[in-house]
Amino acid sequence: MSVAAQIDDVSFAHSSVDAPALAHVSLSLPAGGIVALLGPSGAGKTTLLTLLDGRLRDWRGRVSVLGGSLDPDYPPPRALRPDTGFVFQEFALVERSTVLRNVFNGRLGRMSPLRAFLGSPTERDIQVARSALDDCGISDLADRRVDSLSGGQRQRVAIARCLAQEPRLILADEPVSNLDPTRAAEILTLLTEAARARGATVLFSSHQPELARRFAQRIVGMRDGRIAFDVPVSDLSEDAAADLYRDAAQMSGTGLKVVT
Amino acid sequence: MRSRGFGSFISAVVIAGVVLWSFVTTDVEMTRLAAAGPRIAEFLGRMFPPDPSVMDEIVRGSAETLRIAVIGTLGAILLSVPLGLLASGTMAPPAIHRPVRTVLAVIRAIPLILVAMLMVGAVGLGPLPGIIAVAFHATGMLAKFYAEAIDGVSPAPLAALESAGAGPLARLRHAIWPQMAPVVARDTIFRFELNLRESLILGIVGAGGIGFYIQTYVRSFQYDKAASATLAVVVMVVAIEAFNVILRRRFS
Ligand SMILES: Nc1ncnc2c1ncn2[C@@H]1O[C@H](COP(=O)(O)OP(=O)(O)OP(=O)(O)O)[C@@H](O)[C@H]1O
Ligand SMILES: [Mg+2]
């Protein structure tokens, strides 16, 4: 399989909102590749990633992910869901549970329903969770409760949970927006290295063109629910990236998160 | 601005009128109040020393009050789990959760002692009407608290578990319950404390517990025995508070 995901002419609008969050979007993700998604706030990045994760309803168009096509009316079968891993913009961790519990949560889709309910992992679950913790450099935090962690540590837990899922496609929604520049580069390094080691495809969204340039092979620019450009890193001009944000700032007044 | 100033003027006049009306129409003889000082002193004097000979009855009455509160709270929990689900905005549609919430508000509005009186009439004297009254009365509050605990669960971790392929039961167990548990524990303990305090007086209407003994002693002018029973009540309330503090610390 040379394509991890394929989107053809997909449109979508949130209910009670007139402006579409996705407008005639087409995109293909090469298997094993690392692609960055740039775009200002409200561009539709989270919506696009949620679509690929099979959690969006009532869209129009065609989408296939890891060889199976998605149905706009039904969630994908549960057996296939662990294959696509999602790193949430606001982490979406269970605050009162320990780091280890949260990482095991990523394994729930791989366990039998009874084991999942009881929360009793097998040897293999434990091994996979341990190596995810290890790769994210948080083995020593395993027994800490999430509500006692810093933002950077939470980000690592969120990524470890995703890796524990053993996904073949990793969708990471602004995995470094909450971090200082050094920490951001560290996190993207571990995310992309872990993905490479596992042969997984990565699509990550970001507001930082220089990080996209450094870690991705291809960069997709989004604005107002449309694909503004879709180019290899070497072809991305400074102006194209800057325009993406400048235009949006003038039009919607939402302002910029990070442009350096 | 003008109309608001006028509004508060009207409120002040109404409040002053009500207070004045209460004084004028109540049969309070100020002369009796003045003479009451020595009588109250004498009354208090007859309470001392408290009579320890009624220890047995007091322990038995206190134990019965405790049993009423424990079983009544358990009953309230059993009623509140399904009603809490039905009253929650995330689990039930408006057509269901709105009327259920209204019913709970009405239940909350009926004082416990009134429910107890009705229950004594319905099932006779003893702890049973007390238990039923406590369970019924406490459900009005507890079911509302449970519904709020369910509605307070953050949806983000749920979406994360759905994304990972966890089934509904696993989501309930690993994303919803960990968020709800401390709130449910805290609210249940809080309600148990209220139940225990409120059921201390249930005996007065014949619904069992220590209140029955206090009332009997007072009616038969055995103030020293009443004092012992009152002391027992104070000890229980302080003990509940201490117990509650410990539990709250554990569940934070
Ligand atoms: N739950 C929702 N209900 C209604 N509208 C929504 C909802 N979620 C997103 N939108 C709208 O859809 C559009 C796309 O939002 P999306 O979250 O995909 O943007 P984004 O690119 O991820 O932005 P950000 O960088 O701020 O995360 C926005 O106009 C947003 O207001
Ligand atoms: Mg977003």
Side-chain angles (χ1 to χ4, degrees), chain A:
Chain A
M1 185 175 51
S2 60
V3 173
Q6 177 87 42
I7 300 177
D8 278 317
D9 195 27
V10 165
S11 297
F12 169 80
H14 286 281
S15 52
S16 79
V17 179
D18 288 338
L22 298 175
H24 304 287
V25 169
S26 296
L27 184 67
S28 105
L29 298 178
I34 295 173
V35 178
L37 192 56
L38 286 180
S41 279
K45 303 182 298 296
T46 299
T47 308
L48 181 68
L49 293 167
T50 308
L51 169 76
L52 287 170
D53 198 31
R55 283 184 294 115
L56 209 60
R57 295 284 89 83
D58 296 329
W59 42 271
R60 279 176 294 107
R62 282 173 309 283
V63 180
S64 78
V65 175
L66 300 168
S69 55
L70 294 185
D71 188 322
D73 299 322
Y74 298 100
R78 202 135 49 72
L80 297 180
R81 266 186 257 168
D83 289 341
T84 312
F86 204 95
V87 180
F88 287 75
Q89 194 166 351
E90 309 290 347
F91 315 133
L93 299 165
V94 182
E95 291 283 315
R96 287 179 41 90
S97 297
T98 62
V99 167
L100 188 61
R101 273 271 149 230
N102 271 280
V103 173
F104 276 140
N105 282 346
R107 295 289 306 163
L108 291 175
R110 301 271 184 212
M111 299 181 187
S112 73
L114 183 65
R115 268 193 191 283
F117 178 70
L118 296 176
S120 77
T122 62
E123 274 304 313
R124 170 150 169 71
D125 292 323
I126 293 170
Q127 192 190 321
V128 172
R130 288 252 167 251
S131 83
L133 284 169
D134 231 27
D135 285 354
C136 295
I138 47 172
S139 295
D140 51 331
L141 299 180
D143 297 323
R144 284 269 292 276
R145 252 166 64 159
V146 167
D147 53 13
S148 74
L149 300 182
S150 74
Q153 290 169 327
R154 279 165 205 239
Q155 188 70 71
R156 284 167 190 262
V157 178
I159 292 173
R161 176 176 65 187
C162 174
L163 292 177
Q165 220 175 294
E166 298 182 291
R168 292 194 287 144
L169 170 62
I170 296 175
L171 306 164
D173 196 3
E174 296 188 33
V176 296
S177 61
N178 300 289
L179 308 177
D180 67 66
T182 316
R183 223 61 59 198
E186 271 173 32
I187 294 280
L188 280 178
T189 304
L190 76 85
L191 179 65
T192 50
E193 272 173 11
R196 268 201 203 96
R198 291 160 169 81
T201 308
V202 177
L203 176 62
F204 73 93
S205 66
S206 174
H207 284 292
Q208 287 154 276
E210 70 284 8
L211 286 177
R213 229 185 266 276
R214 183 169 152 199
F215 288 97
Q217 298 139 2
R218 222 176 90 207
I219 302 188
V220 175
M222 274 192 92
R223 190 174 56 204
D224 299 330
R226 294 172 190 279
I227 305 285
F229 56 79
D230 180 355
V231 294
V233 165
S234 52
D235 292 1
L236 179 69
S237 70
E238 295 280 345
D239 288 349
D243 276 352
L244 210 54
Y245 287 89
R246 196 174 299 127
D247 278 354
Q250 280 165 2
M251 287 188 309
S252 65
T254 47
L256 318 180
K257 260 192 186 164
V258 182
V259 180
T260 34

Side-chain angles (χ1 to χ4, degrees), chain B residues 65-232:
Chain B
T65 294
L66 187 65
R67 280 200 300 272
I68 291 173
V70 168
I71 301 175
T73 306
L74 276 178
I77 293 170
L78 290 179
L79 289 171
S80 295
V81 168
L83 284 172
L85 285 168
L86 293 177
S88 106
T90 39
M91 303 298 283
I96 293 176
H97 75 243
R98 291 228 180 90
V100 172
R101 282 181 198 180
T102 308
V103 168
L104 293 177
V106 169
I107 293 176
R108 277 197 304 281
I110 310 173
L112 176 65
I113 197 82
L114 213 85
V115 184
M117 280 165 72
L118 294 175
M119 285 302 136
V120 168
V123 302
L125 296 171
L128 182 62
I131 290 169
I132 298 175
V134 167
F136 176 81
H137 179 75
T139 297
M141 184 190 282
L142 208 53
K144 177 176 183 257
F145 283 172
Y146 286 1
E148 281 166 2
I150 295 170
D151 291 343
V153 166
S154 149
L158 268 175
L161 264 67
E162 185 198 348
S163 168
L169 283 179
R171 291 207 288 267
L172 182 71
R173 171 71 185 78
H174 299 290
I176 298 181
W177 182 244
Q179 296 188 59
M180 267 181 71
V183 182
V184 165
R186 190 197 59 208
D187 292 347
T188 307
I189 294 165
F190 172 68
R191 189 57 239 187
F192 172 67
E193 183 182 336
L194 285 185
N195 286 348
L196 197 48
R197 281 165 186 266
E198 292 182 2
S199 47
L200 289 170
I201 54 156
L202 283 181
I204 293 170
V205 296
I210 182 110
F212 171 73
Y213 295 95
I214 296 181
Q215 188 215 21
T216 312
Y217 299 145
V218 172
R219 290 259 163 96
S220 55
F221 308 108
Q222 296 171 293
Y223 295 126
D224 49 352
K225 291 182 181 166
S228 305
T230 308
L231 278 179

